[in-house]
Amino acid sequence: GTSLRHMTMVLSRLLVLLALACVATARGPNGGRNLPSESEINEIGYQRALRSQQRKFSERSPQIGSWDSADPGAIIEMRMNSTVGVVLDNVPQEIRQSLIAYLSAQGTEYWLDRARRQIDLTWYKLVWRMYWTDFEELQIGLPPKSIWNVNLVSTPSVFQDEALFDGHHVLAVDYVFTAYLLTSKESVPDSSAALTELWGSTFMDYVLPVDPDYPLQRLGKACMDEAEFPPGSMDTMNGHSFYDYDCAGVADPDTYVPEAYACHITAPFPSEDCATVVSEVVGTVPTNMYFTRLPFDNDLADSVRIELDQPSDNADIAPQSERVGKNRITYTYITEGACSIEEGCSGLGWRRLLRFDGTSVNVGSATMHIGRVTSMSGSPDPSPGATDALDMVQNHVYEFSECHQHMHFQHYSSYHYGTGMDCNPFTNLNSVGQACSAADPCSESDTDHSCSLGTKLAWCLESINRELNSERIPLNSPYWLCAYQGITVGWADEYIAGIPCQWVDVTDIELPAGDYPLSFTTNQQGLLCEGDLLRNETGSVIFEPTTPPLLSQKGFQINRPLCNYTKDYQKNDFAVANAKYSPSGSFINDACTSLSHSFERDCGWIEWHPLLTCEAGETVSFNVSAFAKTGSAAADLGLVYRVCESSHVLKQGTACSHTDALAYGQLVHGASVASTFTCPTARADDEPGGLFSLYVAPYMSGVTLGSPANIATGYYVSDGERISFNPTTTTSTTRAPTSTTGSNVQNDAIHVQPLISMVTMLIVSVLSFM
């Protein structure tokens, strides 16, 4: 059985690779990334959007075998056969067989969860499918996960064969993914002419990593497509949203000037193609996502329909509490000149930022249409059909940002976190009528710092997720560029956690550890018409001054469009979810939500000491050892460690992600690991460098580590796990850390001195495995 499965997988892989080679040749050496210029793409996108808006399916001639005109909608089946696994190459030989046995014994849900994470990697190419179809065909987006069907079709097997997964050692299972898109039949031709035929089919080709975990940590930026995101949006928790196998490397990273709509926008730029990196680091799975037009079936439609009972007759924008609940605290260093300073959403230096997903769904029955808000020069462009957008620019609802070099929709949303009196989202206006921010708080009354506020200026309304699934929801949307904005019925605009200013700055908040409400409010100032626009005798929208007056960033008064609002339209303009707060630490200290292993993961870490000092800019060499086994199968797989920069001002370690770590590695019981890192250098006068922190975690999540023992004396419990950390610098002298303005860490820090006669300078311990 295993031999037959192996032969079948090899043959299938060869056939798909041959098909991919033919497709890649047709597109050019850089796959989907050989693109027109920025102005040409915006013009193509705009014209394509107008064509989609103006198309009437009734004008098409009936085709033999096409859908029945009496059908209330269309059903499109999505199907993908794939293989998902765990790459074992970097697992030490001492524990590899133990890990294979442990993972093989996991239930079905463990492998289904991994399959879903691999399916997530298809998202980018489906949402911006236009780049792969010469702009002729629009999106076919993934449906909500609640209607995904993932079925395993094999049991876990070990592979280590040059013909499969590029020769990587992999524990893998096969699965089949299916989902059913219930949509308006009139919208189908804009996604694919083939799908207008009953049983008509089309596909998107993919090459996916066999192990879907940690795409940014493992693959670096080579596979990250930033074309549709603000610069600096990627982090280790959202890498799946950027995955694009067609991304090519940069020939000369040192001199490269980013091109509009190219994969790589922010430095440092990768020199290798994604295809090379995936093959070398993880191993590839070539596959196709197939789309097939099915006969309309009422029972099937009923089983996959996601719809509201009584949608509004007009556009109705609703932020989603579930997405607000996807939040995390990160440490980020903000420098002078950062756009977040200009926007007033953070302070300078090391900041603790509560990031979250901001998702707004149009749950109404009419499109929230903005149109074309800008030309590439930053001036409004009065193109046909975009008069309303031009009015929005002239009335300063939109304003050009020199920092970001694109238009900003101002005062679209506001964020609030904590319990203070100013956390009421409908009273948080400051003296000039602007939404409050950390840089410009609402009032002096909130002296207990129990509330933190934020506002988002840089909103670009695009339709990127199809959140509803019914006969009235289009299969696609014309609003997929910042140059042409709006939210289609049933679709959502989403700002994922990681995008700059998609956060609340909680650095200075003063609250005890606990869960507190985090809220996300849209259209608080009524700048979007969730109702019927009022127009004058020439058909132009009428605007009125905002009261109290709202000012733009450049100091102009903002006018709002007159609107006959739908009754109670503000009832769903507010979303709230709890967010955990602690005076220190970040998301890496949170418990893992799924079974995870490897030093690359960013969950389940414990801070062992936040303030260790070294000589700024010098090389620190150290050994880390793990001792006695515990008898627990998961615990005996070992431990992992991570070294992060620390902050003089905050007097805390920065609980860094894997990609920001100074050093990291895995500890196998009874073995010692040697490593080096460069001691942090000065960032500013109040952050002179020379300070770092140590974090540890069990190799396998779900194992509980006890609290650290008395580090200064090296105390540990004899029946627990002992870790010894033996650091040394390359310098021959040591100095006490320099006192800095507003910071004094001498009393809290342990200074790293040269290792003498194998003396352990720091011993920490795990008190218990549970």
Side-chain angles (χ1 to χ4, degrees):
T2 303
S3 177
L4 178 60
R5 177 187 172 202
H6 181 273
M7 292 176 60
T8 303
M9 292 176 68
V10 172
L11 179 59
S12 175
R13 177 183 178 89
L14 290 174
L15 290 174
V16 176
L17 286 174
L18 179 61
L20 288 172
C22 294
V23 174
T25 300
R27 291 181 183 157
N30 290 331
R33 310 315 304 170
N34 280 345
L35 299 174
S37 67
E38 180 174 12
S39 59
E40 289 173 330
I41 285 178
N42 280 287
E43 184 61 30
I44 291 169
Y46 172 61
Q47 296 299 331
R48 185 65 184 82
L50 287 184
R51 183 171 40 163
S52 175
Q53 296 275 57
Q54 297 166 356
R55 185 196 298 256
K56 295 182 179 179
F57 195 80
S58 59
E59 297 174 357
R60 288 176 162 256
S61 301
Q63 297 179 7
I64 297 175
S66 64
W67 46 269
D68 187 337
S69 60
D71 290 341
I75 299 178
I76 309 295
E77 180 193 61
M78 300 179 68
R79 177 177 293 269
M80 183 176 77
N81 298 342
S82 189
T83 303
V84 69
V86 177
V87 173
L88 304 168
D89 298 350
N90 292 327
V91 179
Q93 288 289 347
E94 300 93 320
I95 66 168
R96 190 172 297 187
Q97 291 305 315
S98 297
L99 179 63
I100 291 172
Y102 185 79
L103 296 179
S104 297
Q106 298 304 306
T108 299
E109 189 55 38
Y110 170 77
W111 294 103
L112 292 177
D113 191 44
R114 295 190 75 79
R116 294 184 193 105
R117 292 201 293 275
Q118 189 184 63
I119 297 165
D120 281 337
L121 298 175
T122 68
W123 178 82
Y124 188 97
K125 195 170 179 178
L126 291 174
V127 172
W128 285 287
R129 183 167 170 262
M130 298 68 66
Y131 294 130
W132 284 267
T133 64
D134 294 327
F135 302 94
E136 286 300 314
E137 297 182 335
L138 298 182
Q139 311 97 323
I140 307 180
L142 282 169
K145 288 187 178 181
S146 61
I147 57 173
W148 287 15
N149 300 301
V150 183
N151 295 295
L152 303 183
V153 293
S154 72
T155 56
S157 300
V158 176
F159 298 90
Q160 192 167 19
D161 189 316
E162 290 297 328
L164 288 173
F165 316 126
D166 305 293
H168 292 277
H169 195 186
V170 178
L171 176 66
V173 299
D174 302 326
Y175 71 89
V176 177
F177 163 70
T178 56
Y180 298 94
L181 298 168
L182 182 58
T183 185
S184 64
K185 57 194 177 187
E186 294 82 5
S187 66
V188 172
D190 282 322
S191 287
S192 174
L195 296 178
T196 62
E197 291 276 357
L198 189 61
W199 301 112
S201 182
T202 188
F203 71 93
M204 293 291 286
D205 54 275
Y206 284 96
V207 178
L208 302 173
V210 63
D211 190 330
D213 284 348
Y214 324 123
L216 180 60
Q217 292 95 311
R218 288 176 171 171
L219 307 176
K221 299 175 72 174
C223 298
M224 302 291 108
D225 194 332
E226 303 177 78
E228 294 295 339
F229 292 90
S233 296
M234 292 179 300
D235 65 25
T236 59
M237 300 298 284
N238 66 18
H240 62 277
S241 296
F242 297 81
Y243 179 79
D244 179 358
Y245 182 81
D246 291 324
C247 282
V250 174
D252 188 350
D254 294 332
T255 61
Y256 175 69
V257 177
E259 300 173 357
Y261 298 105
C263 281
H264 308 302
I265 305 298
T266 54
F269 304 111
S271 59
E272 291 186 294
D273 296 346
C274 176
T276 300
V277 175
V278 178
S279 176
E280 292 180 350
V281 175
V282 182
T284 57
V285 179
T287 186
N288 294 316
M289 181 75 78
Y290 290 98
F291 306 89
T292 304
R293 179 69 175 268
L294 301 183
F296 193 86
D297 180 271
N298 287 316
D299 291 338
L300 177 58
D302 290 343
S303 69
V304 299
R305 188 178 293 109
I306 300 176
E307 185 55 282
L308 302 181
D309 291 336
Q310 293 182 322
S312 164
D313 291 336
N314 299 296
D316 186 6
I317 306 303
Q320 303 298 294
S321 295
E322 177 190 3
R323 305 298 174 84
V324 176
K326 295 181 178 180
N327 54 68
R328 57 183 180 271
I329 290 178
T330 68
Y331 287 82
T332 303
Y333 193 84
I334 307 295
T335 59
E336 289 277 3
C339 292
S340 61
I341 299 296
E342 178 184 301
E343 293 182 21
C345 54
S346 75
L348 283 171
W350 280 112
R351 311 302 296 180
R352 296 186 73 223
L353 307 174
L354 175 57
R355 300 175 183 266
F356 63 97
D357 289 350
T359 302
S360 303
V361 182
N362 184 355
V363 297
S365 298
T367 294
M368 177 59 73
H369 174 76
I370 302 298
R372 195 175 193 179
V373 298
T374 180
S375 67
M376 298 320 299
S377 65
S379 303
D381 187 347
S383 301
T387 306
D388 297 347
L390 175 59
D391 289 342
M392 297 280 271
V393 175
Q394 291 177 334
N395 284 279
H396 306 291
V397 175
Y398 278 89
E399 189 171 73
F400 188 76
S401 167
E402 280 75 14
C403 190
H404 280 118
Q405 288 296 297
H406 60 229
M407 302 295 272
H408 281 180
F409 188 122
Q410 304 185 92
H411 305 290
Y412 173 78
S413 63
S414 57
Y415 315 141
H416 319 80
Y417 179 64
T419 61
M421 63 182 299
D422 285 329
C423 278
N424 183 336
F426 292 100
T427 61
N428 70 324
L429 297 181
N430 58 26
S431 59
V432 294
Q434 293 178 319
C436 305
S437 69
D440 191 6
C442 287
S443 68
E444 299 296 326
S445 61
D446 197 17
T447 55
D448 62 354
H449 298 286
S450 61
C451 178
S452 187
L453 306 160
T455 181
K456 182 69 177 175
L457 298 178
W459 280 84
C460 164
L461 271 66
E462 294 180 85
S463 301
I464 62 172
N465 278 331
R466 191 173 182 270
E467 296 289 332
L468 300 181
N469 198 50
S470 77
E471 294 89 339
R472 74 184 184 98
I473 308 303
L475 188 59
N476 46 67
S477 171
Y479 307 110
W480 49 274
L481 283 173
C482 273
Y484 192 76
Q485 297 189 27
I487 306 180
T488 296
V489 173
W491 285 70
D493 185 21
E494 181 168 42
Y495 268 51
I496 58 174
I499 289 178
C501 285
Q502 185 55 41
W503 65 55
V504 173
D505 189 331
V506 297
T507 310
D508 301 319
I509 199 170
E510 295 176 6
L511 287 170
D515 290 337
Y516 298 96
L518 169 64
S519 66
F520 168 32
T521 308
T522 58
N523 204 24
Q524 185 176 334
Q525 316 305 330
L527 300 178
L528 288 174
C529 180
E530 297 182 72
D532 295 315
L533 286 166
L534 300 182
R535 302 176 181 271
N536 59 24
E537 61 276 6
T538 66
S540 298
V541 175
I542 303 171
F543 283 75
E544 65 176 359
T546 49
T547 306
L550 286 174
L551 299 182
S552 72
Q553 277 194 294
K554 296 179 179 179
F556 296 104
Q557 176 164 321
I558 296 173
N559 300 321
R560 68 166 59 89
L562 281 180
C563 178
N564 183 13
Y565 293 102
T566 302
K567 183 181 179 181
D568 298 327
Y569 79 95
Q570 281 191 321
K571 277 190 174 181
N572 61 359
D573 284 351
F574 176 79
V576 64
N578 279 339
K580 184 176 75 173
Y581 174 80
S582 60
S584 64
S586 78
F587 69 103
I588 75 163
N589 306 120
D590 295 339
C592 299
T593 57
S594 60
L595 187 62
S596 303
H597 53 88
S598 162
F599 51 77
E600 297 151 321
R601 78 169 189 269
D602 280 332
C603 60
W605 291 86
I606 290 177
E607 182 181 71
W608 230 243
H609 202 284
L611 299 173
L612 299 166
T613 65
C614 53
E615 298 296 328
E618 298 293 340
T619 299
V620 178
S621 302
F622 63 95
N623 292 317
V624 186
S625 302
F627 299 95
K629 291 190 175 185
T630 67
S632 163
D636 286 347
L637 292 172
L639 302 166
V640 289
Y641 68 90
R642 180 176 295 178
V643 179
C644 300
E645 185 175 352
S646 293
S647 167
H648 287 259
V649 174
L650 300 181
K651 299 182 181 180
Q652 297 175 2
T654 58
C656 60
S657 68
H658 173 78
T659 54
D660 292 326
L662 302 174
Y664 51 79
Q666 180 174 350
L667 308 176
V668 176
H669 295 285
S672 179
V673 175
S675 187
T676 62
F677 66 90
T678 301
C679 183
T681 56
R683 290 180 178 269
D685 290 343
D686 58 354
E687 292 288 1
L691 206 59
F692 68 97
S693 47
L694 173 65
Y695 299 82
V696 297
Y699 178 75
M700 181 65 67
S701 68
V703 177
T704 302
L705 300 184
S707 301
N710 187 324
I711 296 174
T713 63
Y715 174 81
Y716 65 94
V717 177
S718 60
D719 60 354
E721 173 72 15
R722 186 177 70 176
I723 308 169
S724 98
F725 179 72
N726 306 323
T728 178
T729 64
T730 57
T731 55
S732 58
T733 60
T734 60
R735 298 190 299 272
T738 304
S739 178
T740 58
T741 303
S743 172
N744 189 340
V745 300
Q746 288 95 322
N747 295 331
D748 298 321
I750 295 178
H751 195 66
V752 175
Q753 300 186 36
L755 184 64
I756 302 175
S757 302
M758 300 299 291
V759 176
T760 299
M761 300 304 300
L762 176 64
I763 298 177
V764 295
S765 64
V766 178
L767 296 183
S768 63
F769 281 97
M770 298 169 57

